C-alpha cells in the first residue's frame, strides 16, 4: 500500500470494474480509509459510470484504477482523459491493466508502450512502468470471460503518472526583463583575426600570385553592339490592320506613332499662297484661312480648327 503514496488527509478515488471481487474491493477501501484518516476521503466509482459522474475538476489527490486483485479492465482514451480531469494538479494515478508482450499482435489489448503513450496523451507527465507480472489463473479466466480475448502473451503491468502542477486552461503572468538595452552607439568588439580575413589592402592587389579578372574581357563583341529597336519589340507589338502601342509601351512604338500623328496634323494644315498670312488681316486675301486670327511669326505653327476651314 505504501507504493500508492497515500497520505493522511488526502482524497482517494478507487475505480473498480465488474470482475473485481467484492471482498477484495472492501478490503482495499478499508486500508485506504485507515491511511487517509478522518480528514481524508475515499470514493468508490464503477468504471462504467465514471464518465457520467458529477465529480468536479481537481477532486482527488490519488486515483487507483484496476488495482483490485482480479481486475482485468482495459482503459479507453476517454476514461484516461476523465481520470486526468478529476485529478488534482500534482496528483498521482496508479493504473493496472493486462497488456500484450507481442508487439506485432494487432488486437484491442495494448502493449505497455502504447499504454504509456495513451497516459501521456491524456495529459499526464512522468509516466513510467512500476511493476510487471504474469496473470494469475483467475485473471486469465476473467480476461477470457469478460473481454473475450485469448492469448498466451498477456502480462499485467502497473503504471503511474502525475498531473502537471497546473490546471488545464490556467494562466500565469510572464516576468519580462526590464533591463535597459545597451546604447546603439556602443559597437560590439570585432575579432582582429576576422577583420583581417575580410580586409583587402593595396599590397594584396600588387601580389603577383593574385589573378584579377578584367571586366571588359567578360563581354563578347556582340554585347558591345547597339541593339536594333525593332528587335526589342514584343512579337505582337504593332501587328494588325491598325498599329497600336501597348499600355506602358517601352519599345518606342508609342513615340513613333505620336510623331507620325504630329506630322499628319502639320501636313493637313493649309499652306499660304501669298506668304503674307503671318502679317495680319490687313495683308491677307479674302479667302485666307487665317482670316480673323492674330498675326504670328514666320514659321510658327498655327493649328486651324475644322470650323475655320469650313467657314473659309
Amino acid at each position: 500500500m505504501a507504493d500508492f503514496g497515500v497520505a493522511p488527509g488526502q482524497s482517494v478515488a478507487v475505480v473498480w470494474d465488474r470482475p473485481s471481487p467484492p471482498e477484495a474491493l472492501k478490503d482495499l477501501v478499508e486500508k485506504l480509509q485507515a491511511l487517509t484518516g478522518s480528514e481524508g476521503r475515499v470514493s468508490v466509482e464503477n468504471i462504467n459510470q465514471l464518465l457520467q459522474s458529477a465529480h468536479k475538476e481537481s477532486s482527488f489527490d490519488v486515483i487507483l484504477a484496476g488495482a483490485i486483485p482480479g481486475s482485468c479492465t482495459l482503459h479507453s482514451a476517454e476514461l484516461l482523459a476523465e481520470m486526468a480531469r478529476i485529478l488534482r494538479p500534482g496528483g498521482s494515478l496508479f493504473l493496472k491493466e493486462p497488456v500484450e508482450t507481442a508487439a506485432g499482435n494487432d488486437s484491442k489489448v495494448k502493449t505497455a508502450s502504447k499504454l504509456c503513450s495513451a497516459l501521456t496523451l491524456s495529459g499526464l507527465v512522468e509516466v513510467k512502468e512500476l511493476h510487471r507480472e504474469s496473470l494469475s489463473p483467475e485473471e486469465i479466466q476473467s480476461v477470457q470471460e469478460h473481454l473475450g480475448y485469448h492469448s498466451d502473451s498477456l502480462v499485467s503491468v502497473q503504471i503511474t503518472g502525475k498531473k502537471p502542477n497546473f490546471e488545464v486552461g490556467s494562466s500565469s503572468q510572464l516576468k519580462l526583463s526590464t533591463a535597459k538595452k545597451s546604447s546603439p552607439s556602443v559597437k560590439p568588439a570585432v575579432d582582429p583575426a576576422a577583420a583581417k580575413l575580410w580586409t583587402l589592402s593595396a599590397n594584396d592587389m600588387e601580389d603577383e600570385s593574385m589573378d584579377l579578372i578584367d571586366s571588359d574581357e567578360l563581354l563578347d563583341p556582340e554585347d558591345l553592339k547597339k541593339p536594333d529597336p525593332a528587335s526589342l519589340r514584343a512579337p505582337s507589338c504593332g501587328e494588325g490592320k491598325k498599329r497600336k502601342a501597348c499600355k506602358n509601351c517601352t519599345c518606342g512604338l508609342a513615340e513613333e506613332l505620336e510623331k507620325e500623328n504630329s506630322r499628319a496634323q502639320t501636313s493637313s494644315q493649309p499652306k499660304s499662297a501669298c506668304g503674307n498670312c503671318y502679317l495680319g488681316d490687313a495683308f491677307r486675301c479674302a479667302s485666307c484661312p487665317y482670316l480673323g486670327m492674330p498675326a504670328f511669326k514666320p514659321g510658327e505653327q498655327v493649328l486651324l480648327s475644322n470650323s475655320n476651314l469650313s467657314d473659309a
Side-chain angles (χ1 to χ4, degrees):
M1 189 64 61
D3 295 338
F4 295 138
V6 178
Q10 288 185 332
S11 297
V12 182
V14 179
V15 181
W16 62 281
D17 56 349
R18 184 176 58 181
S20 302
E23 297 80 8
L25 175 61
K26 181 179 179 181
D27 182 61
L28 177 61
V29 170
E30 290 178 352
K31 293 180 179 179
L32 291 173
Q33 289 175 343
L35 290 174
T36 56
S38 58
E39 297 181 357
R41 178 169 59 96
V42 178
S43 299
V44 180
E45 189 72 55
N46 184 272
I47 193 169
N48 297 321
Q49 301 298 325
L50 182 61
L51 296 177
Q52 288 76 31
S53 63
H55 294 297
K56 297 181 180 180
E57 294 182 355
S58 306
S59 300
F60 300 99
D61 299 292
V62 179
I63 297 179
L64 307 180
I68 303 173
S71 175
C72 62
T73 302
L74 300 180
H75 302 85
S76 63
E78 293 79 8
L79 289 173
L80 296 178
E82 177 63 16
M83 288 188 286
R85 184 188 70 85
I86 63 178
L87 196 62
R88 289 176 181 172
S92 300
L93 168 66
F94 293 90
L95 180 142
K96 187 178 179 182
E97 181 175 323
V99 297
E100 270 282 1
T101 56
N105 194 352
D106 186 12
S107 65
K108 59 182 178 180
V109 180
K110 309 180 189 69
T111 61
S113 60
K114 289 185 178 181
L115 182 57
C116 292
S117 300
L119 287 170
T120 303
L121 293 175
S122 66
L124 301 183
V125 296
E126 300 182 20
V127 178
K128 58 183 178 180
E129 181 181 336
L130 296 178
H131 184 64
R132 175 180 299 209
E133 62 184 2
S134 302
L135 295 178
S136 63
E138 294 79 7
E139 291 173 338
I140 295 176
Q141 183 179 0
S142 178
V143 169
Q144 295 175 353
E145 292 179 357
H146 297 91
L147 301 180
Y149 189 77
H150 301 269
S151 176
D152 297 332
S153 58
L154 289 179
V155 295
S156 177
V157 295
Q158 183 177 338
I159 299 177
T160 182
K162 291 185 177 181
K163 188 172 183 177
N165 291 324
F166 56 85
E167 191 54 81
V168 176
S170 60
S171 61
S172 177
Q173 185 177 3
L174 297 177
K175 295 182 180 180
L176 302 178
S177 176
T178 57
K180 295 183 178 180
K181 297 182 179 180
S182 59
S183 175
S185 60
V186 180
K187 297 182 179 180
V190 180
D191 186 6
K196 184 178 180 181
L197 180 63
W198 294 100
T199 302
L200 187 64
S201 64
N203 296 330
D204 296 329
M205 301 295 292
E206 297 176 357
D207 191 357
E208 296 180 356
S209 61
M210 179 174 293
D211 295 332
L212 299 180
I213 299 176
D214 187 0
S215 58
D216 294 336
E217 295 179 356
L218 301 177
L219 299 177
D220 296 332
E222 296 293 333
D223 298 331
L224 301 177
K225 293 182 181 180
K226 185 177 180 180
D228 184 10
S231 64
L232 301 178
R233 296 179 183 176
S236 60
C237 186
E239 293 182 356
K241 296 181 179 180
K242 185 177 180 181
R243 299 176 67 195
K244 185 178 180 181
C246 304
K247 187 179 180 181
N248 300 327
C249 179
T250 59
C251 67
L253 181 60
E255 291 80 359
E256 182 180 343
L257 294 178
E258 185 178 356
K259 291 179 180 179
E260 292 179 359
N261 294 335
S262 177
R263 286 195 297 266
Q265 292 180 359
T266 302
S267 61
S268 64
Q269 296 296 325
K271 296 181 180 179
S272 174
C274 62
N276 297 327
C277 299
Y278 70 93
L279 295 176
D281 288 347
F283 301 91
R284 293 169 181 165
C285 305
S287 61
C288 182
Y290 296 100
L291 194 63
M293 297 183 65
F296 53 88
K297 295 179 181 181
E300 182 180 358
Q301 183 180 2
V302 180
L303 300 180
L304 299 176
S305 62
N306 293 331
S307 60
N308 291 341
L309 295 175
S310 61
D311 292 341

